Amino acid sequence: MGLPLSDEIEVYTLSSDSWRRVGMSLRANVKVFDDTFQIPLVSGALHWISIVLEGEEEHKGEVIMSFDVNSEKFRMFVMPDGSLSIRRSQRRLALFKGKLAFITFGISDQHGYHYSMWVMREYGVLESWNQLFVVPLARISACIGFTMYGSLLIHYVESNNQAEKFVLVDTKTLHEKDLDIQQPSRVATFMESLALLDGANMVAY
């Protein structure tokens, strides 16, 4: 079910090498629940999936929570229309070309196994959720993330020899490119930078 959110969180400040408490006012029925532990940073805010317990029978509903690292405020977003009606086994948030994306992996009579993705075109505007594409797949796969150019990175296990494969899928042409990754791994965004740390002063280039 997930853990209930505390009334406080702790924020670490790199420049001062210190922790401090930040209070928040959220409903007590919001539970932390993101088994993928993917928390994309979009528009200066961290995002993750949570569960809300509704009514006396505590009906479960999913929402997207965000924490703005500058204002240190929390927000709650509803899921895209139509995304919860898919028979799905996976769902996750991602960063797609600088925008917040919601991805599901499921099965349907029309597409078979497939990934569907919704993108929030205008950040914070719930009406701007837009289903961008559906990627049909020949096998059960796990979504790892996106490249900066929008290609989908997936992982699957071959049925004949149990070898693990990592593949880049062009979401427009559906062309697949095998990657020479030998062991299971995680993918993170990398950006070259040089930071000089001097007590409370930090300069980045």
Side-chain angles (χ1 to χ4, degrees), residues 43-92:
S43 295
L46 298 168
H47 300 79
W48 64 94
I49 297 173
S50 290
I51 284 181
V52 176
L53 304 181
E54 303 283 2
E56 295 182 357
E57 298 181 357
E58 295 192 337
H59 172 73
K60 297 179 181 178
E62 290 182 341
V63 297
I64 298 172
M65 298 297 303
S66 74
F67 176 71
D68 190 301
V69 298
N70 294 310
S71 66
E72 298 182 348
K73 301 294 184 182
F74 287 84
R75 295 182 66 181
M76 183 186 298
F77 300 134
V78 299
M79 295 293 190
D81 287 341
S83 64
L84 301 181
S85 62
I86 297 175
R87 288 181 292 164
R88 57 201 171 106
S89 59
Q90 301 174 30
R91 82 280 185 277
R92 66 183 296 163

Side-chain angles (χ1 to χ4, degrees), residues 38 92-95 103 142-147 150-154 167-168 187:
Q38 299 294 320
R92 66 183 296 163
L93 299 175
L95 176 66
I103 310 165
C143 171
I144 304 298
F146 289 95
T147 68
S151 295
L152 177 65
L153 176 61
I154 62 173
V167 177
L168 273 180
V187 176

